[in-house]
């Protein structure tokens, strides 16, 4: 693939254009990946020793309360967060995160199984390796 820069002082912000004879699934995939890379939102997680790391939101598996602390889980590690759940709900993309209870947000891409009982209780099973963190019997607060 050939990459060309078209620099012009009249452009207010950078944008990417894909030039091809036809739209293909490969080009759609490329456009999606470019969009995710350029529009990735970051959340600052705190390691147990107090150091901070910026984590792209698409790497977050779930955020939940644990002993009055907010915990953010990724495939690589677990962080604590200074924000409250309602603040994180406002920060995170609503099309990517589902609030399962008053103390838990889950990345929709990591939900393997979800069921809702007639009484309003829900059961969600996360995709491995976090299946041990299944959120059992949480109140369902948002619809798909």
């Amino acid at each position: 693939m050939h990459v060309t820069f078209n620099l012009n002082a009249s452009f207010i912000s950078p944008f990417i254009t894909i030039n091809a004879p036809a739209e293909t699934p490969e080009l759609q995939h490329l456009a999606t990946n470019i969009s995710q890379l350029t529009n990735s939102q970051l959340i600052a997680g705190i390691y147990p020793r107090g150091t901070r790391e910026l984590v792209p939101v698409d790497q977050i598996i779930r955020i939940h309360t644990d002993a009055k602390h907010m915990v953010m889980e990724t495939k690589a590690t677990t962080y604590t967060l200074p924000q409250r759940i309602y603040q994180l709900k406002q920060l995170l993309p609503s099309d990517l995160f589902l609030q399962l209870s008053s103390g838990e947000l889950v990345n929709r891409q990591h939900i393997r199984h979800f069921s809702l009982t007639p009484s309003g209780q829900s059961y969600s099973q996360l995709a491995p390796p976090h299946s041990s963190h299944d959120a059992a019997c949480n109140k369902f607060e948002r619809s798909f």
Side-chain angles (χ1 to χ4, degrees):
M1 179 176 290
H2 180 74
V3 176
T4 303
F5 283 89
N6 181 11
L7 305 175
N8 189 326
S10 67
F11 294 145
I12 296 172
S13 62
F15 62 93
I16 296 174
T17 303
I18 299 174
N19 299 299
E23 187 174 326
T24 64
E26 292 83 12
L27 290 176
Q28 262 311 64
H29 183 68
L30 176 63
T32 300
N33 287 341
I34 290 170
S35 179
Q36 288 175 346
L37 283 172
T38 58
N39 297 322
S40 184
Q41 183 181 354
L42 302 171
I43 298 287
I46 304 169
Y47 281 114
R49 288 180 244 139
T51 57
R52 294 178 182 259
E53 180 177 337
L54 294 175
V55 179
V57 295
D58 60 338
Q59 292 182 13
I60 300 169
I61 295 172
R62 70 190 279 246
I63 297 171
H64 61 95
T65 57
D66 185 17
K68 297 186 180 182
H69 292 90
M70 291 305 303
V71 177
M72 176 174 68
E73 296 178 10
T74 66
K75 287 183 182 178
T77 192
T78 300
Y79 305 89
T80 58
L81 299 171
Q83 299 96 331
R84 298 194 182 277
I85 198 83
Y86 73 90
Q87 294 169 320
L88 292 164
K89 183 180 176 183
Q90 292 174 345
L91 287 174
L92 297 168
S94 61
D95 62 331
L96 189 59
F97 285 87
L98 178 69
Q99 185 168 3
L100 294 181
S101 71
S102 61
E104 182 173 24
L105 296 166
V106 177
N107 187 328
R108 293 173 190 249
Q109 297 174 340
H110 293 279
I111 296 175
R112 186 171 74 184
H113 175 76
F114 183 86
S115 61
L116 183 63
T117 66
S119 66
Q121 299 292 306
S122 69
Y123 175 80
S124 60
Q125 184 178 29
L126 302 178
H130 289 276
S131 59
S132 64
H133 296 295
D134 293 351
C137 297
N138 290 317
K139 280 192 168 180
F140 181 74
E141 295 185 347
R142 287 187 63 187
S143 62
F144 283 106

